[in-house]
Amino acid sequence: SNNPSRFEGDQRPVERVSFDDVEQFLSRLSGLISGLHPQLPTEAQWEYACRAGTTDPFSFGQSITTDQANFNGNYSYRNTEKGVYRETTVDVKLLPRNNWGLYQMHGNVWEWCADGFGEYTAEPQINPYCRDVGSRRVVRGGSWFNLARIVRSACRFRFDPGFRDDFLGFRLLGSAGPVTQGMPSK
């Protein structure tokens, strides 16, 4: 019931939540709505949704501007003009959505993924899932204070599961039944 966010607004993402906070929230939410199995997306699911059928660095193409995503516009990508630096999160629907109708996949807040952080291997994989590699958890998307290159579809980072800050939130994946890759074991 208490919103931990630094930045206020009913249409802004919740931030300052840890991976552990999100797991507790998911457990409570599952108990409230019969048949709903909310979860964090795997890293591969997150990137697939972000790209929305594209192969470019951004779902919007080869470059990105602050008219398309919330990031630190003082640092452009591939010689685009500098943009605004809002220094805060913004309402989710303020900026355009990707081809699949998803808002703010680039920037605004880093988003927790279900995976532990592991190095990629050279072998081709379909929806890889990293269960138990150390304690650090994957985040994707970049945030309101990152440079444009950090909000690319392929950019990834990691944090300890108890870490929280005003640039870190989450996006839920809902399903009518449990997903076999589900939440990682600790």
Side-chain angles (χ1 to χ4, degrees), residues 20-47:
D20 295 336
D21 295 335
V22 175
E23 279 195 315
Q24 289 175 9
F25 173 74
L26 291 173
S27 178
R28 287 195 316 264
L29 186 59
S30 291
L32 292 174
I33 304 172
S34 177
L36 181 66
H37 300 279
Q39 59 194 355
L40 290 172
T42 66
E43 183 177 10
Q45 289 168 332
W46 188 97
E47 186 171 335

Side-chain angles (χ1 to χ4, degrees), residues 112-124:
W112 290 109
C113 293
D115 304 70
F117 187 83
E119 296 301 322
Y120 289 140
T121 62
E123 300 84 36

Side-chain angles (χ1 to χ4, degrees), residues 12-81:
R12 292 185 183 212
V14 172
E15 24 86 7
R16 290 201 316 195
V17 290
S18 69
F19 180 87
D20 295 336
D21 295 335
V22 175
E23 279 195 315
Q24 289 175 9
F25 173 74
L26 291 173
S27 178
R28 287 195 316 264
L29 186 59
S30 291
L32 292 174
I33 304 172
S34 177
L36 181 66
H37 300 279
Q39 59 194 355
L40 290 172
T42 66
E43 183 177 10
Q45 289 168 332
W46 188 97
E47 186 171 335
Y48 183 75
C50 179
R51 289 186 180 280
T54 68
T55 57
D56 292 326
F58 305 95
S59 62
F60 300 109
Q62 288 293 314
S63 196
I64 198 163
T65 69
T66 56
D67 291 334
Q68 298 167 311
N70 185 27
F71 61 92
N72 184 341
N74 291 317
Y75 303 93
S76 63
Y77 189 79
R78 292 194 175 167
N79 300 318
T80 58
E81 289 186 31

Side-chain angles (χ1 to χ4, degrees), residues 167-178:
F167 54 80
L168 191 54
F170 64 102
R171 180 179 304 260
L172 293 183
L173 185 80
S175 69

